[in-house]
């Protein structure tokens, strides 16, 4: 038993953190939120070059051949920086889905374009009603029950759905499946999409940890510098205890996330409820961190000019997507309680 | 990252499981916080020691098995899973001994540790005083230099199982002129000595689990000073980190409680409110979270990192989790929740209400959770003290 990242994983995580500190500043997050950026971001190519998009793909197809543990560690960093691009949707969801059918040359070609940042493919799962960033996609992998279809952007209809998080451009996707758009069919397809959903949930949980950590850091910084009654507000126990509660939530959700990542990496038969425990805990911990960070910031945090709300709104979105806490706890309950009704 | 147990860890688990299956008493022992129960528990403690399970992580020569920290966690999982008795030697094995390992002389370790493991000397914690609880540095009990040692004066209070023990360990003021955290020395104090008296007192659950210890000139020889004179605060802080960290309440205990809660849910869910299902799952997920958090900490410790103020976060988490878990059980029981062990309708021998009362102490002992939150805020998050 060794429950820690390897030095290589730590180093790759550090490198990404440094990259994001330069290439994904709060000003860029804000720009994405306000919709002043159109089209593919400058960050996207750097993330592709870093190997983040193709993390789970075969090296022959531009991927890194790594697994869910690296995915969790790197997406935690993306959460920390509130990366606005659809990283989760590609690296955790679409890339492994396409990889399942990479023996099909059309799919292999899309996969390579995706991992190298030259083309964007996103997935529309039955279990996720909206596709984030679909307007930028060149193609969409669409689940239709037990069938997978590949459609060009021009072949689908996108109905925009505005999100509280302006950086998330959501669309409801309508598509009429055709014989020649079908990539695969059968129980294996349903399984592949179910696994993709679990990877999405794990990735969202990891991002939520990072979002929570960053909000707590912002609040600590504020509590050290903001003075009231002649002293930094961070000296007050009421303020301290808010931040400790936020910290404890994240600190105890994190091991569940990495344990779930490990279970996915080793195809543990219990992996689905491990993912659910992780997503439930991370969703609630990040949500609580958002509440506590806002309370510690006071009215400054409530202003649009302050960056806190950019992180907070991402939390609201990701806590609810890929199964919210209650949905995932029900899945844990179904796995462990075994009650006879 | 490899979350599978090694072959050695698995073998250790199998050995522990087999021994426990053959030896754990079928019926639960009476509470170890009563006189009769304590005596029953001592028999169990000695059996545990004779088989080498009393202090598995200690070196063999002191009565342990040279087990790794990870193996100890595995042993604890098996211990609580088997429904084995609470450890009445807890304070000696898990609080005094870590301080002895960190600050004791070779002579002290050789002399004291084997008797702790064998439950031949029974130790209570002598920390709190009537005027010094959370604010331990306000302690007034004092020790005066005399030839060959010290004479101790003062009162220690809320000493768990103190009325059944032979000795206490704790801080006493040796330099009244020094600042509150200075001038404190850590002593190992015999209770059945001239000038000492002990009065057992009842806890809210009715057991005589508390004691007041009165010291009026009890002699403690130099060899029973732990760590340097006037540097007892450092020793005490070393103890608190074991107390709040891994050793006081290992995850195995809560894993077992969560499993018992699930079992209770299966029996009671038909009559229980449907919202309780979610609370049962929360308790289970929290126990899992504490388990994996602890494996993370144990990995760091195995790789040489000291257990620091993060231990306080751990104590906050498990004590509040334990309370929520027991409150969920009581809610499942509904009108049976209040029934005590003697009642014929009591579920699981009334152990849930008993357990709840015990869990209520969690956010208070070993430093209240308010103090722990201050420690985490200042020493982990870096918030200003003043």
């Amino acid at each position: 038993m060794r429950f820690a990242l390897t030095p290589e994983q730590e180093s790759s995580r550090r490198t990404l953190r440094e990259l994001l500190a330069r290439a994904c500043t709060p000003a860029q997050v804000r720009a994405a939120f306000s919709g002043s950026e159109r089209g593919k971001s400058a960050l996207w190519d750097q993330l592709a070059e870093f190997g983040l998009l193709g993390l789970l793909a075969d090296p022959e197809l531009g991927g890194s051949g790594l697994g869910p543990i690296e995915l969790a560690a790197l997406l935690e960093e993306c959460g920390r920086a509130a990366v606005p691009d659809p990283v989760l949707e590609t690296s955790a969801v679409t890339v492994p889905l396409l990889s399942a059918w990479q023996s099909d040359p059309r799919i292999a070609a899309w996969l390579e374009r995706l991992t190298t940042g030259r083309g964007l493919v996103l997935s529309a799962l039955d279990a996720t009603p909206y596709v984030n960033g679909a307007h930028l996609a060149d193609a969409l992998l669409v689940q239709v029950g037990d069938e997978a279809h590949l459609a060009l952007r021009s072949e689908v209809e996108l109905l925009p759905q505005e999100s509280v998080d302006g950086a998330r451009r959501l669309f409801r996707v309508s598509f009429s499946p055709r014989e020649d758009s079908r990539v695969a069919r059968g129980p294996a397809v349903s399984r592949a999409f179910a696994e993709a959903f679990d990877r999405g949930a794990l990735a969202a949980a990891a991002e939520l940890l990072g979002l929570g950590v960053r909000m707590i850091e912002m609040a600590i910084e504020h509590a050290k510098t903001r003075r009231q009654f002649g002293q930094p507000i961070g000296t007050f126990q009421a303020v301290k205890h808010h931040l400790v509660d936020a910290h404890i939530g994240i600190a105890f959700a994190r091991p569940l996330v990495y344990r779930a990542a490990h279970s996915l990496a080793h195809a543990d038969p219990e992996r689905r409820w491990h993912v659910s425990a992780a997503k439930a805990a991370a969703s609630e911990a990040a949500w609580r961190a958002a509440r506590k960070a806002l309370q510690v910031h006071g009215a400054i945090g409530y202003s649009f000019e302050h960056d806190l709300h950019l992180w907070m709104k991402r939390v609201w979105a990701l806590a609810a997507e890929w199964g919210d806490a209650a949905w995932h706890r029900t899945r844990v309950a179904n796995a462990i309680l075994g009650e006879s009704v | 990252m490899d979350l599978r147990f090694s072959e050695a860890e698995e073998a250790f688990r199998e050995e522990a499981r087999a021994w426990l299956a053959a030896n754990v008493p079928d019926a639960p022992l009476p509470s170890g916080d009563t006189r009769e129960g304590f005596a029953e528990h001592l028999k169990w403690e000695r059996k545990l020691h004779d088989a080498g399970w009393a202090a598995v992580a200690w070196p063999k020569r002191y009565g342990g098995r040279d087990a790794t920290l990870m193996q100890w966690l595995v042993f604890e999982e098996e211990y609580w899973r088997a429904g084995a008795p609470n450890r009445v030697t807890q304070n000696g094995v898990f609080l005094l001994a870590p301080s002895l390992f960190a600050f004791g002389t070779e002579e002290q370790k050789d002399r004291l540790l084997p008797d702790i493991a064998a439950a031949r000397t029974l130790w209570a914690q002598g920390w709190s005083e009537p005027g010094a609880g959370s604010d331990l540095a306000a302690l007034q009990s004092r020790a005066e230099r005399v030839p060959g040692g010290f004479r101790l004066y003062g009162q220690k209070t809320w000493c768990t199982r103190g009325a059944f023990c032979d000795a206490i360990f704790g801080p006493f003021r040796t330099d009244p002129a020094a600042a509150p955290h200075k001038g404190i020395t850590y002593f190992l104090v015999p209770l059945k000595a001239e000038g000492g008296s002990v009065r057992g007192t009842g806890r809210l659950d009715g057991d005589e689990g508390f004691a007041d210890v009165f010291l009026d000139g009890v002699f403690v020889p130099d060899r029973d000073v732990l760590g340097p004179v006037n540097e007892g605060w450092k020793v005490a802080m070393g103890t608190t980190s074991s107390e709040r960290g891994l050793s006081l309440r290992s995850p195995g205990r809560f894993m077992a409680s969560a499993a018992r809660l699930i079992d209770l849910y299966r029996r009671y869910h038909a009559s229980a409110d449907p919202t309780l299902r979610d609370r049962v799952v929360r308790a289970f997920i929290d126990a899992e979270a504490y388990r994996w958090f602890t494996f993370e900490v144990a990995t760091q410790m195995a790789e040489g990192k000291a257990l620091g103020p993060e231990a306080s976060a751990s104590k906050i988490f498990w004590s509040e989790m334990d309370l929520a878990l027991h409150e969920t059980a009581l809610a499942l029981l509904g009108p049976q929740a209040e029934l005590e062990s003697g009642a014929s309708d009591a579920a699981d021998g009334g152990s849930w209400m008993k357990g709840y009362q015990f869990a209520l102490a969690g956010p208070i002992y070993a430093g209240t959770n308010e103090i722990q939150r201050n420690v985490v805020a200042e020493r982990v998050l870096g918030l200003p003290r003043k």
Side-chain angles (χ1 to χ4, degrees):
Chain A
M1 167 75 67
R2 182 182 184 277
F3 197 2
L5 295 177
T6 62
E8 296 75 38
Q9 289 163 342
E10 286 288 5
S11 145
S12 145
R13 178 191 174 116
R14 214 166 27 246
T15 309
L16 180 63
R17 180 180 293 199
E18 285 158 11
L19 186 159
L20 293 174
R22 291 190 307 273
C24 183
T25 62
Q28 280 158 299
V29 176
R30 182 172 289 270
F33 182 95
S34 307
S36 49
E37 265 194 23
R38 291 276 169 226
K40 202 173 71 167
S41 73
L43 176 62
W44 193 250
D45 289 334
Q46 297 185 62
L47 295 178
E49 196 185 334
F50 180 87
L52 184 57
L53 309 181
L55 195 72
L56 301 181
D58 275 354
E60 309 88 82
L61 294 168
S64 315
L66 294 172
I69 296 168
E70 288 82 5
L71 179 76
L74 298 176
L75 283 187
E76 191 180 344
E77 290 305 321
C78 290
R80 204 168 171 280
V83 169
D85 305 66
V87 175
L88 178 161
E89 290 82 351
T90 48
S91 65
V93 178
T94 303
V95 164
L97 274 173
L98 292 177
S99 299
W101 302 300
Q102 67 187 28
S103 56
D104 178 337
R106 286 177 307 164
I107 297 291
W110 277 116
L111 187 54
E112 194 170 4
R113 261 171 272 170
L114 177 56
T115 56
T116 52
R118 286 181 290 120
L120 180 61
V121 188
L122 294 169
S123 304
L125 280 61
D126 286 348
T128 55
Y130 312 115
V131 178
N132 179 26
H135 62 307
L136 299 173
D138 300 297
L140 286 127
L141 186 69
V142 184
Q143 180 184 12
V144 184
D146 68 349
E147 297 185 1
H149 290 263
L150 190 78
L152 294 176
R153 161 72 189 82
S154 57
E155 296 168 341
V156 301
E157 201 179 310
L158 299 182
L159 182 62
Q161 303 288 330
E162 284 184 13
S163 166
V164 66
D165 174 4
R168 288 169 59 81
R169 307 292 162 76
L170 303 182
F171 298 87
R172 188 178 273 290
V173 175
S174 313
F175 168 65
S176 306
R178 304 178 315 268
E179 193 67 28
D180 66 346
S181 65
R182 192 170 61 223
V183 174
R185 75 192 303 176
V189 172
S190 306
R191 266 201 307 279
F193 278 106
E195 282 166 18
F197 181 85
D198 282 350
R199 271 190 301 271
L202 174 78
E207 275 199 51
L208 285 161
L209 294 179
L211 288 158
V213 166
R214 183 69 197 116
M215 288 187 297
I216 294 168
E217 285 173 1
M218 287 184 203
I220 289 171
E221 203 42 48
H222 180 71
K224 283 178 175 172
T225 49
R226 170 75 173 165
R227 296 177 73 87
Q228 289 287 276
F229 305 101
Q231 51 193 319
I233 61 168
T235 57
F236 301 125
Q237 287 198 26
V239 170
K240 285 179 175 160
H241 292 189
H242 277 316
L243 290 172
V244 171
D245 288 341
H247 167 75
I248 287 177
I250 298 290
F252 284 84
R254 181 178 287 111
L256 291 175
V257 172
Y258 285 91
R259 185 276 199 103
H262 183 273
S263 297
L264 288 185
H266 292 86
D268 187 307
E270 312 278 318
R271 62 191 179 278
R272 304 206 78 184
W273 75 255
H274 293 173
V275 167
S276 283
K279 178 63 166 66
S283 297
E284 292 202 338
W287 197 287
R288 177 159 70 161
R291 285 276 316 269
K292 298 292 188 184
L294 175 61
Q295 190 64 27
V296 168
H297 276 86
I300 293 166
Y302 200 81
S303 70
F304 194 80
E305 287 71 27
H306 198 284
D307 291 331
L308 181 66
H309 74 98
L310 303 173
W311 269 254
M312 190 158 63
K313 288 168 181 170
R314 185 72 49 80
V315 167
W316 298 343
L318 287 181
E321 295 293 338
W322 305 99
D324 67 6
W327 187 90
H328 279 289
R329 275 199 302 275
T330 297
R331 209 166 73 157
V332 176
N334 293 339
I336 63 154
L337 293 182
E339 67 257 70
S340 49
V341 181
Chain B
M1 187 178 293
D2 186 355
L3 305 187
R4 292 162 300 187
F5 290 102
S6 69
E7 270 179 38
E9 285 157 356
E10 288 293 1
F12 192 81
R13 184 188 291 281
E14 285 311 313
E15 190 186 351
R17 184 177 291 193
W19 187 86
L20 289 162
N23 289 282
V24 168
D26 290 335
L29 302 182
S31 165
D33 298 337
T34 60
R35 273 171 202 278
E36 323 73 68
F38 190 79
E40 289 293 311
H41 276 72
L42 281 186
K43 289 184 201 154
W44 164 252
E45 287 288 344
R46 285 163 188 158
K47 195 171 183 177
L48 203 56
H49 172 260
D50 291 345
W53 297 109
V56 294
W58 295 9
K60 281 205 179 80
R61 64 193 170 109
Y62 300 130
R65 288 189 175 235
D66 285 316
T68 63
L69 185 53
M70 218 50 98
Q71 284 174 323
W72 175 72
L73 290 169
V74 165
F75 173 74
E76 285 277 306
E77 289 190 356
E78 291 304 317
Y79 188 88
W80 298 107
R81 203 186 65 88
N86 284 333
R87 300 291 305 273
V88 295
T89 55
Q90 165 95 40
N91 288 332
V93 175
F94 296 115
L95 295 184
L96 173 56
S99 304
L100 282 169
F101 282 117
F103 299 98
T105 63
E106 288 307 309
E107 185 277 327
Q108 286 174 325
K109 287 190 277 186
D110 290 343
R111 175 163 53 90
L112 300 170
L113 288 169
D115 286 347
I116 294 176
R120 278 191 295 266
T121 311
L122 300 162
W123 290 88
Q125 191 177 15
W127 278 38
S128 291
E129 297 179 5
S134 288
D135 183 9
L136 183 65
L139 63 93
Q140 295 297 317
S141 293
R142 63 187 207 283
E144 287 178 6
R145 216 2 150 183
V146 293
F150 292 82
R151 286 205 181 273
L152 272 51
Y153 301 88
Q155 181 187 352
K156 294 287 182 181
T157 191
W158 309 311
C159 303
T160 293
R161 292 183 288 275
F164 322 137
C165 286
D166 307 307
I168 59 170
F169 52 91
F172 291 78
R173 200 161 287 290
T174 33
D175 181 359
H181 297 77
K182 317 257 176 188
I184 287 172
T185 302
Y186 210 83
F187 287 97
L188 311 175
V189 189
L191 290 176
K192 287 155 192 163
E194 199 185 323
S197 64
V198 180
R199 188 188 68 198
T201 57
R203 295 187 315 206
L204 71 79
D205 65 357
D207 288 353
E208 191 188 348
F210 272 162
D212 281 307
V213 171
F214 302 93
L215 302 165
D216 186 17
V218 170
F219 177 72
V220 176
D222 285 327
R223 66 176 198 163
D224 284 335
V225 172
L226 183 54
V229 170
N230 289 333
E231 288 184 32
W233 188 257
K234 218 192 307 179
V235 181
M237 289 306 104
T239 303
T240 61
S241 129
S242 331
E243 186 175 25
R244 291 163 192 165
L246 299 181
S247 64
L248 179 56
R249 299 284 179 255
S250 73
R253 186 182 179 114
F254 303 109
M255 297 295 293
S257 298
R260 287 172 52 234
L261 179 66
I262 288 170
D263 174 62
L264 186 73
Y265 175 81
R266 286 182 184 139
R267 286 181 279 143
Y268 279 78
H269 76 90
S271 62
D273 187 276
T275 58
L276 290 173
R277 189 175 197 249
D278 194 52
R279 285 171 62 183
V280 171
V281 175
R282 275 178 190 277
F284 171 77
I285 292 176
D286 282 350
E288 286 273 314
Y290 180 49
R291 180 178 191 232
W292 292 101
F293 178 90
T294 303
F295 285 138
E296 255 183 5
V297 172
T299 299
Q300 290 164 9
M301 290 177 75
E303 293 175 5
K305 191 172 170 252
L307 180 63
E310 270 291 349
S312 292
S314 209
K315 193 260 173 172
I316 296 166
F317 187 82
W318 59 248
S319 59
E320 294 177 1
M321 156 177 80
D322 197 28
L323 263 179
L325 189 154
H326 280 88
E327 283 174 347
T328 303
L330 296 182
L332 279 169
L333 288 171
Q336 279 170 273
E338 65 172 305
L339 300 182
E340 294 233 296
S341 58
S344 60
D345 279 3
D348 300 337
S351 64
W352 291 105
M353 182 56 87
K354 184 81 179 168
Y356 178 57
Q357 293 175 79
F358 185 72
L360 279 171
I364 299 171
Y365 60 64
T368 62
N369 284 13
E370 286 70 27
I371 297 298
Q372 304 313 322
R373 282 184 164 84
N374 291 349
V375 170
V376 175
E378 289 159 17
R379 294 174 55 203
V380 179
L381 304 183
L383 288 164
R385 268 183 78 81
K386 287 267 185 301

